[in-house]
Amino acid sequence: MADIETPDISGLVEELSGSSRRRRQEVAHAIAQAARSNPDVVAPFADDLIDALFRPEAQTRWEVLDALGAVAQTDAERVAGAFEGAEASLFDDGSATVRLAAFEFLCRLGASSPERSDEVWPLLDEAIQCYHGDAEYRDMLTALLGLAQGAASEQTRGSLAARVKFDAENGTGYIKSFSAEILQALS
């Protein structure tokens, strides 16, 4: 799927609104793969992808969040409208994978500008507190490192440093090492 063209994406995006749960999941996966290979082919369909964040099945939502996250790295303005859907997904009780995809998307969106970092930080901070030590927490720390290395505001950078400082000094294992790496990126 590395060389998908826009007309193929257009057809796949249309199927995100179809009645078949299974087909929505399949096309969401194909769209996410295409976005990872070349976010520009998916970017024109951002509004349709944002709409798909409200499909009932978890896989469609996490795949779409992955696609939107890829676009956020190159054209954050185009996917900024996904904030509400990502917020809802961040606290999805039924799927850790959806929560992680939302967290990663919000980190990428926040890394794009100081203003966006201030917008996403309260949600990220709450998620850190809710999911600290959960199975997906290692990947959350990786996403936070991306936020720390991005264009976050001084306020967000200070809040992030304060949030991970205890773990950097007193944690163990990957939590300690990733937290220390985040602090280093912030200094």
Side-chain angles (χ1 to χ4, degrees):
M1 294 239 90
D3 207 18
I4 254 182
E5 295 179 17
T6 303
D8 296 324
I9 296 297
S10 177
L12 292 173
V13 168
E14 284 182 33
E15 291 189 71
L16 284 174
S17 297
S19 61
S20 169
R21 172 199 57 80
R22 181 172 176 84
R23 185 64 184 152
R24 287 193 305 263
Q25 290 174 183
E26 291 169 350
V27 299
H29 179 72
I31 291 167
Q33 284 184 315
R36 282 189 289 275
S37 295
N38 183 358
D40 294 338
V41 300
V42 175
F45 304 99
D47 290 341
D48 297 303
L49 295 177
I50 292 166
D51 180 62
L53 290 176
F54 298 97
R55 300 298 181 269
E57 61 280 355
Q59 183 178 351
T60 298
R61 288 181 281 129
W62 86 59
E63 300 280 13
V64 167
L65 282 161
D66 286 350
L68 291 168
V71 175
Q73 293 181 299
T74 60
D75 190 355
E77 182 64 32
R78 193 176 289 249
V79 297
F83 183 84
E84 183 181 322
E87 178 180 7
S89 293
L90 186 60
F91 300 102
D92 184 304
D93 289 333
S95 175
T97 307
V98 170
R99 292 191 303 264
L100 176 59
F103 190 90
E104 291 172 336
F105 167 76
L106 290 168
C107 284
R108 289 175 178 166
L109 186 64
S112 69
S113 76
E115 298 78 21
R116 286 198 183 94
S117 73
D118 290 341
E119 182 181 18
V120 303
W121 174 251
L123 292 174
L124 297 174
D125 190 35
E126 184 178 355
I128 291 165
Q129 294 172 65
C130 289
Y131 308 123
H132 187 278
D134 286 3
E136 66 272 16
Y137 193 64
R138 179 184 198 109
D139 293 324
M140 291 171 68
L141 288 169
T142 301
L144 284 173
L145 180 59
L147 176 64
Q149 294 168 333
S153 72
E154 288 305 314
Q155 179 179 343
T156 296
R157 295 171 73 75
S159 296
L160 175 54
R163 175 59 59 207
V164 300
K165 185 176 193 257
F166 180 83
D167 284 339
E169 294 173 351
N170 303 296
T172 60
Y174 77 86
I175 292 177
K176 180 176 184 154
S177 61
F178 271 104
S179 297
E181 192 173 349
I182 291 166
L183 276 181
Q184 183 178 357
L186 291 168
S187 60

